[in-house]
Structures are given as structure tokens and as C-alpha cells.
Amino acid sequence: MTKDNNKEQYIDYDFILGKGIADYSDGDIVVIEKIGAKPIEGTVKLDMVLMIYCLKGRIQGEINGKTWLAEEGDVVICLPNSYLSNYMMTPDFDSRIIGLSYDAILNNIPMTKDALDLLSYVSKNPIIHLDAERQDLINKYYSIIDHKIKQPHNLFHKEIMHSIFTCAVFELCAIIAPHVNYTRDGGTMKQANLLFHKFINLLSKNEGRTCSVKKYAEELCITPKYLSFICKQVSGKTALEWIHEYTIKSIERYLKHSNLSIKEIADRLGFPNLSFFGKFTKNYLGVSPTEYRRQQSMKKEV
């Protein structure tokens, strides 16, 4: 979507698709081979992760009010809720751009403490320089991606693409990791990040069972309002959105990989009745639990 408010644009996955500039898209990931040469007027706010790999030339712009310059061999990583403005490029600028939706991030990158530390580092240091060896490595990944984009979309195409992207993202994480000051219990992690990490740990231990924001807040000895504020500040999503993300991932796992009945899954995850479970699942997966399981079974039989 996009909205005009003092020339501010709100950019997400759907906006990019609507512009018709994606060379590949699958619902979670977009690949763009050429960035537009027209400078941004006003401000752009991102609702996704955007990674720009500079192949040639230079690009300069403002990220969250701070000016950055990226040159050949640099990767620019813009996190959700970043504000971009006033970018300009040299005439010879060439790049490859990958956009990841929230779902792609959640499904491929475990939200561990180390991952949160890494994201915190990237938010302050969005330009990652690659030496010649690592440029060659990333170029090899992109060659595989480019090859798969140009192939007909065969069986498991999306799964293959996601696996390649996941490997490439973790390669970047490995490059960034030595520069990150990882925190441990009793370390220098800011209170908000520490509380958010504890909240994510509680979600993981709860294994997707439905639970109110109030219940998690009580376990953390803070108010529900403050918990949601922390989650929004650190991750861009509210506490309730995180709870629902973990619940729907558990629903998908049980429907795909278990022989539990629909009622048994609903009971295990703490839903009050089958009707509510069905409405919740359809709202997030687009179909009823029974239909989703049927679709997954059909994929296995092909």
C-alpha cells in the first residue's frame, strides 16, 4: 500500500508488486534487478526488509535521517520501519535488490538473542562492506537465484527459492557477526531488548498455545500496554501480533506433520471451541483447517 501524507510513501510487498518492477515474487520474497533512477521526493517508510547489493557505481541517501554512502561491493540493509529519503546514484550504478516480507523473516530467521543483537547492529550500521572473496560468494548465490528465476516454475520451486535465500541471508549474518557486541545475561543489552527477548523465549516455550498479552505481561512483571510498546519499538510488531504469529506457525506444523484431529489441535493450542479455531485459521491461512490439511496432503501425493 501507499499513502500520501506530506509526500511520505508507505512501501511494502504489495506496493512493489503493484508497481510491476519485481523480476520475481512468491508472496514472501521479491527480487528487483534494477532500482529506479528517479530520486525519492519526500520520505519512504518500509514495512519489509530491503537489501540492496551494489554491483557497480555508488548510491547515497538518508536512512532514518542519517546520510549513508554505498559503493561497489557494499550491501545496504534497510529494516522494517526505516525511513528512506533523498537518494541519488551515479550514472553507472547497478544493483540487485531483494525484499523480504515479515512472514519470510519469521519463517527463516529464528528470533534468538543473537539474532536480535545482530538486527540492533544493522539498524545502526546499514552498510555492510564485502571483501573480494565475499563478493564472489554472494555473486555465486545470485547466479543460482537468477538461474532459478529464469526456469519454469516446477514442483517445489518456491521451497527451493526460499532455501537459497535463507542460505544467502545467513551468509550475510556470518559476515556481520564478528562486528556485533553480543550481550549476555547481566550484560549491556538495553532493557527494552532484554524484555523483548524474554517475551520471545516465553512464546517459544509456550509452543503456540493461545495466551493473552496480559498473561505474558504478568510473567514479565510489566503491564500489557508496556509489553506491546516494547514489542513495537524493538520489532515493529505488537505483542498480540507476535502471539498470533507463533500460534499460526504451530497450527501449520500440526496440520502438515501430525495425525491429530482438528479438535485435538484446537484443544492442544488452547482454543475455546472449534468454531473460533476455524475462524482464526481461515483468517491467517485463507482456508479452513480441514481444507488446508487436504491441500498439504495433495502436495505430498504429487
Side-chain angles (χ1 to χ4, degrees):
M1 74 182 85
T2 179
K3 60 183 179 183
D4 295 319
N5 183 13
N6 295 326
K7 294 187 177 181
E8 179 178 310
Q9 298 179 84
Y10 183 76
I11 307 296
D12 60 7
Y13 184 92
D14 292 332
F15 179 83
I16 291 176
L17 292 189
K19 287 293 185 180
I21 58 176
D23 295 281
Y24 170 82
S25 63
D26 63 16
D28 288 317
I29 297 171
V30 292
V31 177
I32 305 169
E33 292 204 352
K34 296 288 183 180
I35 192 170
K38 184 179 179 181
I40 295 174
E41 296 180 1
T43 301
V44 168
K45 183 180 180 182
L46 293 180
D47 192 33
M48 62 191 305
V49 172
L50 204 63
M51 295 183 289
I52 304 172
Y53 176 37
C54 303
L55 295 173
K56 188 168 62 172
R58 293 179 295 171
I59 182 172
Q60 179 178 299
E62 292 181 12
I63 303 175
N64 297 325
K66 187 173 182 179
T67 301
W68 297 93
L69 174 67
E71 302 177 298
E72 180 179 339
D74 290 343
V75 178
V76 186
I77 304 178
C78 303
L79 299 177
N81 295 312
S82 294
Y83 288 89
L84 315 183
S85 60
N86 303 320
Y87 81 79
M88 51 188 172
M89 301 159 289
T90 57
D92 63 340
F93 180 74
D94 191 15
S95 67
R96 297 293 180 267
I97 303 168
I98 295 175
L100 303 173
S101 69
Y102 269 123
D103 287 341
I105 300 166
L106 289 173
N107 291 334
N108 293 297
I109 303 177
M111 284 295 116
T112 63
K113 180 185 287 189
D114 286 349
L116 292 173
D117 284 337
L118 191 145
L119 290 174
S120 177
Y121 175 85
V122 170
S123 69
K124 300 179 181 66
N125 304 273
I127 310 298
I128 309 302
H129 180 70
L130 307 181
D131 59 25
E133 181 180 349
R134 289 180 170 122
Q135 287 180 47
D136 182 58
L137 179 61
I138 296 301
N139 285 334
K140 287 176 179 176
Y141 273 109
Y142 193 83
S143 294
I144 298 172
I145 292 170
D146 187 55
H147 173 71
K148 297 302 296 183
I149 289 175
K150 293 174 181 175
Q151 271 194 344
H153 289 198
N154 297 322
L155 190 64
F156 300 121
H157 184 267
K158 180 176 179 178
E159 289 81 0
I160 292 170
M161 291 294 285
H162 274 239
S163 296
I164 298 169
F165 282 118
T166 300
C167 289
V169 168
F170 276 113
E171 290 285 2
L172 281 176
C173 290
I175 293 168
I176 299 167
H179 304 286
V180 179
N181 180 25
Y182 290 102
T183 58
R184 297 292 179 260
D185 291 340
T188 59
M189 179 183 283
K190 289 183 179 179
Q191 185 68 12
N193 285 342
L194 180 58
L195 284 170
F196 178 72
H197 169 66
K198 289 181 177 179
F199 172 61
I200 294 298
N201 274 347
L202 290 175
L203 284 177
S204 298
K205 292 176 181 178
N206 202 33
E207 297 182 339
R209 288 186 289 273
T210 57
C211 194
S212 67
V213 175
K214 181 181 178 181
K215 176 64 176 175
Y216 284 111
E218 287 175 350
E219 292 193 51
L220 294 169
C221 300
I222 57 177
T223 67
K225 185 176 180 180
Y226 186 54
L227 176 57
S228 284
F229 170 77
I230 286 171
C231 291
K232 192 74 174 179
Q233 183 184 54
V234 174
S235 70
K237 303 182 78 170
T238 66
L240 185 61
E241 287 174 322
W242 276 107
I243 293 169
H244 286 174
E245 289 286 358
Y246 271 75
T247 299
I248 204 64
K249 284 168 68 176
S250 292
I251 290 173
E252 288 183 286
R253 184 175 68 253
Y254 284 127
L255 291 175
K256 285 180 181 179
H257 305 300
S258 81
N259 294 320
L260 295 173
S261 69
I262 303 301
K263 185 178 186 308
E264 287 173 328
I265 296 173
D267 289 342
R268 180 167 292 196
L269 294 178
F271 283 87
N273 54 61
L274 276 175
S275 176
F276 185 64
F277 177 68
K279 289 178 181 177
F280 182 89
T281 303
K282 188 170 185 179
N283 183 52
Y284 282 90
L285 299 181
V287 293
S288 69
T290 301
E291 177 61 18
Y292 183 82
R293 173 169 273 175
R294 187 188 71 81
Q295 291 176 359
Q296 298 305 309
S297 297
M298 288 178 64
K299 288 181 181 181
K300 293 178 181 178
E301 293 172 359
V302 175

